[in-house]
Amino acid sequence: GRGAEVYQRTCIACHGQRGRGAPPAFPPLDGSDWIMDDPALPIRIVLHGLQGPVRVGGTEFRNVMAPLGAVLSDAEIADVLTYVRQQWSNDAAPVTEADVAAVRAETAGRDEPWTGAELGR
């Protein structure tokens, strides 16, 4: 599907074929509460990036994820996050294009990657 295609093109190099990441450089997406909880969290991360240190699944990650909001459309972000939220062991609700558009509008002035602290993590 469309989400899988975006994942192959954009996410797989760091997060891996099975969403397991590459600790301690890149965090896993499979089984991650960062992905499964409120979809606004991964939407913010995809739009604006994330800078460590962050803790995912008990492991600390200090890398930086590049912002993808200028590269991916709202539909592509919705598709890839729906894919990731429903792939491997994950089972969470789909993300809609409207969800992404709302977060994009709400965070429009943001020009640097989020920190874990800013995201309440």
Side-chain angles (χ1 to χ4, degrees):
R2 297 179 319 217
E5 188 276 324
V6 176
Y7 187 85
Q8 294 289 331
R9 176 168 39 96
T10 311
C11 316
I12 199 168
C14 296
H15 293 291
Q17 182 72 38
R18 293 179 180 84
R20 294 183 183 145
F26 307 111
L29 302 176
D30 185 22
S32 171
D33 59 345
W34 290 68
I35 294 297
M36 302 298 290
D37 292 347
D38 180 356
L41 178 65
I43 293 169
R44 283 183 175 90
I45 293 169
V46 172
L47 285 171
H48 302 291
L50 180 67
Q51 55 191 339
V54 297
R55 188 165 287 282
V56 180
T59 300
E60 185 170 272
F61 297 86
R62 296 187 162 273
N63 239 338
V64 175
M65 177 175 155
L68 298 169
V71 178
L72 298 176
S73 69
D74 292 352
E76 288 173 315
I77 294 170
D79 289 346
V80 76
L81 288 178
T82 295
Y83 171 78
V84 168
R85 284 165 58 92
Q86 297 179 348
Q87 191 65 14
W88 313 299
S89 69
N90 295 343
D91 184 18
V95 175
T96 68
E97 191 173 344
D99 294 333
V100 178
V103 173
R104 190 187 288 269
E106 172 192 318
T107 61
R110 180 124 195 131
D111 61 358
E112 60 183 33
W114 297 97
T115 65
E118 287 176 310
L119 296 172
R121 296 288 170 142

